[in-house]
Amino acid sequence: MGVSKDRQRQSLVQVPSFVYSQTQTAVRSFPIEAPKEKIKMYSPAFYAACTAGGILSCGLTHMAVTPLDLVKCNMQIDPAKYKNISSGFGILLKEQGVKGFFRGWVPTLLGYSAQGACKFGFYEFFKKYYSDKVGAENAVKYKTFIYLAGSASAEVIADIALCPMEAVKVRVQTQPGFARGLSDGLPKFVKSEGPLGLYKGLVPLWGRQIPYTMMKFASFETIVEMLYKYAIPRPKEQCSKSLQLGVSFAGGYVAGVLCAVVSHPADNLVSFLNNAKGATAGDAVRQLGLWGLFTRGLPLRIVMIGTLTGSQWGIYDAFKVFVGLPTTGGATPAPAASK
């Protein structure tokens, strides 16, 4: 009887031991080690983590594509000189050297870091806020409208943070000799345009960024949900973290292509207004034409924004996983039962 009881005790602990070993194997398969204690969803620490993830995802990626952005801006401002992508790179290399490809990287890094902090942090806040306002059942039923409203609200704030650095960046990148970078470019810009001149492009920036961000977040959430529903043969919770981050990048890339098309006319307008003192939207339409406003620099921007947005979602979700949070998007939660 004593031996039988011992065997029974051993059999009782075998199942928990097996589950523990399987869990450990799953954790080791993911290259980013997450902390043991997870952050509570929608707590102040949660929003702080989303803000930090936004800084990393937007600041680093925009800085990395500075050469592409430089060529794009010059194609928009001086299409007679910068006729296409290849000639644009060739002209810049000949006139400014390799170093010139990263002109304006400091205002790019600072501006888009501030924008990313507000964009992602406030998106998570407004998504929860609007969901609570309409109730659990309606939040699921009208989830796309929640995504659109949350992202638009966040971007209004984010662009106020971005606008001054964007103005200096465009001027530094498109007017050789204006300034070497932020340290001398910002005082020169303020002296020439006045402090309010830093916000001259705010309304066109809203016109570019709000539709862009609405498309970026709503399409991403929808694409990721569809990938888990139709393309991946198991629930998100059963997928490895590496696979989940791959889904984030793929969903982000497709969303980025859509974003580029939707926001491109306003992007041309922002570049034109920030480059020329006293310029108006009417001047831009007259000089570029409606067709040019919609298409000038678009192929390069599709490549740039697709890569940029895919990388941003990958970095953002990798950071969330690192601090113990789930990746963004996935299966739609079931509505709460009505009482």
Side-chain angles (χ1 to χ4, degrees):
M1 289 292 291
V3 175
S4 177
K5 286 182 179 180
D6 287 342
R7 286 180 179 175
Q8 288 177 357
R9 291 191 192 101
Q10 288 174 4
S11 66
L12 287 173
V13 299
Q14 280 175 354
V15 172
S17 178
F18 170 74
V19 172
Y20 176 76
S21 65
Q22 291 293 95
T23 305
Q24 290 296 93
T25 301
V27 171
R28 284 195 297 269
S29 67
F30 178 55
I32 300 177
E33 184 179 352
K36 292 180 180 178
E37 293 190 13
K38 293 184 178 181
I39 294 173
K40 184 179 178 181
M41 293 292 290
Y42 310 117
S43 65
F46 167 79
Y47 293 117
C50 294
T51 300
I55 291 173
L56 292 174
S57 67
C58 290
L60 294 178
T61 51
H62 275 277
M63 185 184 69
V65 298
T66 297
L68 288 172
D69 190 39
L70 191 62
V71 173
K72 174 190 70 72
C73 286
N74 280 283
M75 287 176 65
Q76 292 169 331
I77 297 303
D78 193 355
K81 182 178 180 181
Y82 300 90
K83 293 181 173 60
N84 53 54
I85 297 171
S86 58
S87 69
F89 274 106
I91 291 168
L92 286 173
L93 181 62
K94 183 179 179 180
E95 293 183 352
Q96 301 177 33
V98 176
K99 193 175 180 181
F101 284 120
F102 287 92
R103 192 153 42 89
W105 72 269
V106 175
T108 298
L109 175 63
L110 296 180
Y112 283 94
S113 292
Q115 187 214 35
C118 298
K119 185 197 297 275
F120 282 91
F122 279 109
Y123 172 68
E124 298 287 1
F125 170 80
F126 282 117
K127 185 168 69 168
K128 178 69 165 60
Y129 176 79
Y130 293 140
S131 296
D132 290 344
K133 282 293 183 183
V134 301
E137 186 172 349
N138 284 330
V140 173
K141 187 177 180 181
Y142 302 109
K143 60 183 183 295
T144 301
F145 294 102
I146 298 291
Y147 302 150
L148 292 170
S151 57
S153 300
E155 191 60 37
V156 169
I157 300 169
D159 288 344
I160 295 172
L162 168 64
C163 196
M165 292 296 102
E166 179 74 359
V168 175
K169 175 190 80 73
V170 171
R171 188 68 62 88
V172 168
Q173 289 181 335
T174 59
Q175 290 189 11
F178 172 75
R180 294 186 305 274
L182 178 65
S183 59
D184 58 338
L186 180 59
K188 272 190 176 182
F189 193 103
V190 172
K191 185 177 180 180
S192 172
E193 305 275 351
L196 292 179
L198 292 168
Y199 286 94
K200 180 177 68 173
L202 179 59
V203 173
L205 189 62
W206 276 334
R208 179 187 80 183
Q209 289 297 131
I210 291 175
Y212 166 91
T213 301
M214 292 170 73
M215 180 66 76
K216 173 179 180 175
F217 283 88
S219 61
F220 173 81
E221 297 261 19
T222 302
I223 291 165
V224 168
E225 182 181 333
M226 291 175 67
L227 286 174
Y228 282 116
K229 189 174 181 179
Y230 298 110
I232 299 173
R234 56 184 182 275
K236 174 183 174 181
E237 294 73 19
Q238 297 178 16
C239 298
S240 68
K241 295 300 182 184
S242 298
L243 178 57
Q244 290 183 31
L245 292 178
V247 170
S248 295
F249 177 82
Y253 195 97
V254 176
V257 173
L258 300 174
C259 291
V261 175
V262 167
S263 63
H264 194 65
D267 183 63
N268 273 321
L269 191 58
V270 169
S271 295
F272 187 90
L273 292 177
N274 283 327
N275 177 67
K277 183 178 179 180
T280 65
D283 295 333
V285 174
R286 281 190 293 273
Q287 184 166 326
L288 298 175
L290 282 176
W291 177 253
L293 203 62
F294 278 83
T295 61
R296 179 73 63 186
L298 180 59
L300 180 58
R301 191 157 185 264
I302 285 175
V303 174
M304 186 181 83
I305 297 299
T307 306
L308 195 74
T309 308
S311 300
Q312 283 176 356
W313 278 113
I315 293 171
Y316 178 66
D317 275 350
F319 183 79
K320 286 177 73 176
V321 169
F322 177 75
V323 298
L325 291 169
T327 58
T328 309
T332 305
S338 56
K339 294 181 181 179

